[in-house]
Every structure is written in C-alpha cells, then in structure tokens.
Amino acid sequence: MPRHGVSPGQGHPRSGGETESDRSRGSPRLRLLWIGLALALALPDSLILWAPAGAHPLPSQSHPARFGRLVPQLRNAFGWWNLTCPVCKGLFTAIDFGLKKEPSVAWMGSMATKLCKLLKIAPPTVCQSAVQLFEDDMVEVWTRSVLSPSEACGLLLGNTCGHWDIFSSWNISLPAVPKPSPQPPKPPAPGAPVSRILFLTDLHWDHDYLEGTDPDCENPLCCRQDSGLPPTSRPGAGYWGEYSKCDLPLRTLESLLSGLGPAGPFDMVYWTGDIPAHNVWHQSRQDQLRALTTVTALVKKFLGPVPVYPAVGNHESTPVNGFPPPFIEGNYSSSWLYEAMAKVWESWLPAEALHTLRIGGFYALSPRPGLRLISLNMNFCSRENFWLLINSTDPAGQLQWLVGELQAAEDRGDKVHIIGHIPPGHCLKSWSWNYYRIVARYENTLAGQFFGHTHVDEFEVFYDEETLSRPLSVAFLAPSATTYIGLNPGYRVYQIDGNYPGSSHVVLDHETYILNLTQANEPGATPHWQRLYRARETYGLPNALPAAWHDLVYRMRGDTQLFQTFWFLYHKGHPPSEPCGMPCRLTTLCAQLSARSDSPALCRHLVPEGGLLDVQSLQPRPPFC
C-alpha cells in the first residue's frame, strides 16, 4: 500500500529520551494518531464508511469495526510499524495529561482536517467543515473521557496490548416484585373498536434540495444547490425527490401530510424524529431549530386537532449524534434543543412530559384511559453518541426511570406503548441487553414498541431470557419518509386494539403507504400516495402478535418467493438492482430476530444444517441514516 509520501523510517516513536514537551503534550505524530481515532468516533458513518448506493444489509459497524478500517491507513500513513505496547501506553498517557492540561482546539482541528484529507475519509470541503463542526465537542469529550491508554493501544495494536472497554457492562435494578405469569393478549371481540395510529419517522427535510442538480455528486448528500449539474448523459434530481443519496424538499412532505385522507382518520400520531437533512458536516443550531419549527408547523397545519407524540431523533442535534447526558451543563448541553422542543410541542404534551423532555429528551403520558405512552431518547443508547465516552452507564438514568414507569403501569393494570428513534437492536450492547431484560420482565404490560431510524421496513423480535425461544414482544421499525438512500418516500399506519375498557392496545395490523417517485416525477404528473401493502394480508399472518412475526422469519428462510416479497416491501417498492443471495437473505432474516445487540446465537437456527455460512457473520446491518 502506498505510504502517501511518508518514508519507511518516518514516524517511529522514540523508545526513550522524550523531551518535557513530548511528555506533556505527546509527539506530533502520536497526536495525529489520536486525531485519527477521534475522527473515527466523531465523523458519522456516512462520511467514514461511504454509504452504499442502494439500501441493503451490510455487516454490523460498531466502533471497533470502524477503527479497524481506519487503523491500517493510519499506520501506513505515519509509518507506525514498530510501535511497541509499552511505548504506546506511555505516549497515550502523555496525551491524556497534555490534553487535560492544555487542550488546543485550533491545532487539533487543523491536524484533523489534514488527516481527513490524507486518508480520503471525505471530500476536502466536507473534511474541513466537519472538523470545524465537531472539534470543540470532541476535545471536550476527550478531556473528560475515561478512555485509558490500554484501551487506546488495544485498538491500535490488538487485544494483546489492551482491551476496548470504554462501554463496559452494567446492570439496571429491577423491582423485587415477582413477575406475573405470562398472559398473551386475547383477540378483541368482533366489532370491538379499532384505533388507527399514523406513524411518521425520518422526514429529513433538505432546505437546499434543488430539482435538476446532480443526484450522484461526490458529497455524502446530493440533489442540493452545492451538488452541481449532472453530466448530459444522466438526468438531474426529480421534482418530488430522487432515488439516490438525497433527502426531500418541503413540497414532498407537504404532499405527504395533505394526502393523508385515504389512510385516515387517525386517533393519534407517533412521530419518531430525524427532521433535518443529512448534510451533517455543515449544520448550525439555527439550521436545526429552523427544521424543527418549520416541520412541526407543517404537521400541525395538516393534522389539526389530532394529538401528536414525538420522539427525539439522532439528527436533531448538531454535531449529529451529539447528545450529552444532563450532567453536562453550559453551552455543551442539549438544553438549547430540548427547550425549543418543549416550546413547539407544548400544545401536544402535558406539563409532566414537558418537564422530563427539558431534562433529558424523554417523557411519559397517558393518551387515553388504560394506556401509558413512553417516549425514549434513544440517543442515550447510540453507538454514535460520542458523549457516552465519558460515561455510558444508563445515561440520564433513563432506563431506571423506564422501569419505574413500567412497574407503576403494571400496578395500575395499564398497558404501555414505547416509541423511540433508534431500535434496541442497534444500541450499545449493555444498553440493549438491559432493555431486553426490561421487556422480558414487563411482557404483560408492554403492548407495543415503535421505532424508525433504519429507513427500511422491518421488525425486531424479543424472546424469553431463559430459553431465547418463546417470542414475547416485537418492535416495529417503520420505513422513512425520506428517499435516502434509493427509496420511495413512505409512512406507516398501525391499527391497534381500540379505546374501550379492557383493551389490550396491541397492534392488530399495519399498512404502509408510499409515493412512487418514478410515476410522480413524470412530466405533468401529480403525486399520488398509495397503499403499498397490508401486513397480515400480504404475509398470511394469523395476527400481528410476536409469534406470528417469528414464524414469518422461518417461513421466509425456506420460501424464496415470500422472501422476495419481503425484500421488495423492505425497500418500499424500490429494491436495489443487485440480487439478494443466500448470505444476504440470512443476514436480513437474522436482523429481524436481533432485538438484542451483538447476540448472534438467536440466528443459529437460520443456517441450514451443514451450511457453510458462519453464524457469527449474521449480524444486523447498520442504519442508512
């Protein structure tokens, strides 16, 4: 591999005799290496791992996997072939001391920009803008973090030198109240009321979307004013949206909301975030608040008196994914965002909900008798939230608060719906495993889970902890409104057991609606939102309970035609051109069983006996956001 102009002898650390300056600040090349690690954490996947042209399953990308792709480039670029473990630990100790003593944001930013360009992590202009946006927060996080020299060197030199333990295991406390015997919900009586819940997620409004611009530009987000014009051989971005790495113009969101009539009427709306576009390298707080207020006003305009219950997405903040826990105060805190949300959502949420929203971005309320709604801030479980490097143990005490809410609901005999943005199976391992325990403990109380974030149409099944064989809950992952990447715009409608005494409040069925962009962008055409499918009818489900979704996964393993139907609907009617062979199929099916992060054992039965596919490789893919 080329050395980018660095000779083999350059960049080797001295084994001894460092100057006082070296010991207090770290050598320049070591500081560059630190910046490389910081870039791997700070810059979103869409910049470090270029997103595919079509949305399809990929191997899981946690932080160690992302480091694994950058570290060989770093070692080649700086000639760090002879770095020994003791020297590495000594130098990272010096870095820690130096940064805490005198962090230099400007110097770090300048070096990080050069490194980003050198390693071709992103186009040069994106590198510069991204580093400027992230540098203050990253230096603040690094100076506060508990990343030890052993962990840093373990990332660089392998497990023999240290272990990545920044996100170590932890447990929340469950009440001593014995778990009641499992009581699966009974089907509602014929003629019982049915409620319809509109579910919106991942709207991703791009203020700078421009028809006719290049949908295949070099930046991570295209179809924008800065994307330029496409070659004469290719068409430009469509008027209503584009099958590419592009988000939506406001007119498409307005079309969605104004065209809801055939899908309604609705009793309430669950809205799970991600309002701004994917131009994450060049966003300000003013940009994010403009998106929040503009789109909220649009939702209120078209939904009128229908109650709307939002959740916080990972794109609402800037820098993206940056959600510090409540103990971080001052200008680095998220109070600027939570206060704005409380203001614009005040007409939808009661005082008790607004109080916890202002503190940590989560809340609970009772939308109707017998039902408790809990909106979680899933950014506190996110692998991409770099603020969790400081302390990832139940950030904001949210999971312990959730346990208290669920126990109170159990005591009252209420049922609970949980909404959130990032699905539990995509969370940090300890957070995900604790959440899994909570779901198992309160299976009789928890009637529904609703998430977004992945942009595609899927689900995650939860099982009993003892045998991991009895399906006890399912999290529905609804498809996005945005086209990013290569998708039709869409939304979901859930039918749930309705508002009457003794209702189970479980999901009875769901429908997905899309805008076919090929048709909508035809000259002279008008947008027509149409129902793509109804779940029980299309998949032949006896009901929409967890066991039915579990059975569907195993039916799809042996039924190629059924899986191809799922694959088509998974992509909202616009699947990628590449066929989904057996490894792709099994990976996709495994993801539907993986509501607990890093738990491939749940997928062991998917691999045919004697099959050559490694079960360990069946991991959920990253989201496309």
Side-chain angles (χ1 to χ4, degrees), residues 192-193 369-370 497-505:
D497 197 5
N499 186 15
Y500 62 92
S503 171
S504 67
H505 298 286

Side-chain angles (χ1 to χ4, degrees), residues 274-330:
D274 267 16
I275 306 170
H278 286 86
N279 59 321
V280 297
W281 66 94
H282 195 256
Q283 292 176 333
S284 67
R285 290 183 177 181
Q286 183 179 0
D287 294 330
Q288 309 307 84
L289 296 181
R290 176 181 60 185
L292 171 68
T293 56
T294 301
V295 177
T296 297
L298 203 63
V299 171
K300 289 181 177 180
K301 174 183 176 181
F302 288 105
L303 286 163
V306 180
V308 178
Y309 303 117
V312 182
N314 64 299
H315 277 264
E316 266 69 271
S317 186
T318 184
V320 66
N321 302 311
F323 287 83
F327 64 78
I328 301 295
E329 299 177 341

Side-chain angles (χ1 to χ4, degrees), residues 584-601:
C584 165
R585 185 199 303 186
L586 293 178
T587 299
T588 303
L589 295 179
C590 173
Q592 314 312 302
L593 305 179
S594 299
R596 191 171 71 180
S597 179
D598 299 326
S599 185

Side-chain angles (χ1 to χ4, degrees), residues 546-567:
W549 297 99
H550 165 90
D551 291 342
L552 174 63
V553 172
Y554 284 91
R555 282 195 288 132
M556 288 192 290
R557 180 187 63 176
D559 188 334
T560 302
Q561 186 58 49
L562 181 62
F563 176 79
Q564 291 305 324
T565 298
F566 177 81
W567 187 243

Side-chain angles (χ1 to χ4, degrees), residues 49 72 188 232 252 255 277 285 288 318 361 404 407 445 495 545 564 607:
L49 305 173
T232 55
T252 307
S255 170
R285 290 183 177 181
Q288 309 307 84
T318 184
Q407 185 59 55
T445 298
Q495 291 123 59
L545 298 178
Q564 291 305 324
V607 180

Side-chain angles (χ1 to χ4, degrees), residues 19-299:
T19 65
E20 181 64 30
S21 174
D22 286 335
R23 286 195 299 270
S24 65
R25 297 295 300 274
S27 72
R29 293 196 181 279
L30 185 59
R31 295 179 70 187
L32 279 172
L33 197 53
W34 172 83
I35 292 168
L37 298 180
L39 278 170
L41 279 173
L43 297 184
D45 282 340
S46 58
L47 301 186
I48 291 179
L49 305 173
W50 284 85
H56 52 83
L58 297 171
S60 177
Q61 296 292 346
S62 60
H63 287 318
R66 288 160 59 187
F67 280 126
R69 294 183 61 158
L70 273 182
V71 165
Q73 299 176 62
L74 289 165
R75 295 182 70 182
N76 276 340
F78 301 111
W80 280 61
W81 293 108
N82 295 331
L83 179 63
T84 64
C85 186
V87 170
C88 179
K89 291 180 178 178
L91 292 176
F92 266 98
T93 299
I95 283 183
D96 268 349
F97 177 78
L99 283 175
K100 291 173 182 177
K101 181 179 180 182
E102 186 186 353
S104 173
V105 175
W107 190 91
M108 290 291 181
S110 173
M111 293 299 102
T113 301
K114 293 177 182 177
L115 187 61
C116 180
K117 294 176 182 178
L118 175 67
L119 299 181
K120 295 181 172 59
I121 292 173
T125 56
V126 174
C127 284
Q128 184 163 348
S129 296
V131 170
Q132 288 175 353
L133 184 59
F134 280 86
E135 60 186 4
D136 286 336
D137 287 52
M138 283 307 302
V139 170
E140 179 70 13
V141 168
W142 187 266
T143 57
R144 289 172 174 257
S145 77
V146 293
L147 182 65
S148 70
S150 176
E151 289 163 339
C153 294
L155 289 171
L156 291 173
L157 304 179
N159 290 335
T160 56
C161 189
H163 180 62
W164 170 258
D165 197 30
I166 198 76
F167 302 118
S168 56
S169 299
W170 48 272
N171 289 305
I172 49 91
S173 300
L174 294 174
V177 181
K179 175 183 175 179
S181 300
Q183 298 177 352
K186 298 177 181 178
V194 174
S195 294
R196 293 177 71 82
I197 298 178
L198 172 64
F199 191 90
L200 301 172
T201 190
D202 298 275
L203 275 60
H204 290 292
W205 166 44
D206 188 355
H207 176 267
D208 293 328
Y209 185 97
L210 186 60
E211 179 189 10
T213 53
D214 190 357
D216 192 28
C217 67
E218 67 170 355
N219 287 343
L221 183 66
C222 300
C223 303
R224 318 183 76 237
Q225 291 179 357
D226 60 1
S227 300
L229 296 176
T232 55
S233 59
R234 289 193 287 105
Y239 184 78
W240 296 104
E242 189 57 55
Y243 295 125
S244 189
K245 50 181 182 178
C246 306
D247 283 320
L248 293 179
L250 194 64
R251 57 180 167 268
T252 307
L253 296 177
E254 188 167 3
S255 170
L256 185 160
L257 294 168
S258 65
L260 288 170
F266 308 112
D267 295 270
M268 51 188 170
V269 181
Y270 293 166
W271 178 19
T272 59
D274 267 16
I275 306 170
H278 286 86
N279 59 321
V280 297
W281 66 94
H282 195 256
Q283 292 176 333
S284 67
R285 290 183 177 181
Q286 183 179 0
D287 294 330
Q288 309 307 84
L289 296 181
R290 176 181 60 185
L292 171 68
T293 56
T294 301
V295 177
T296 297
L298 203 63
V299 171

Side-chain angles (χ1 to χ4, degrees), residues 352-374:
E352 61 166 340
L354 292 170
H355 175 69
T356 53
L357 174 65
R358 286 187 169 99
I359 295 172
F362 53 88
Y363 62 86
L365 53 81
S366 297
R368 58 178 52 167
L371 178 64
R372 191 74 168 161
L373 173 67
I374 297 175

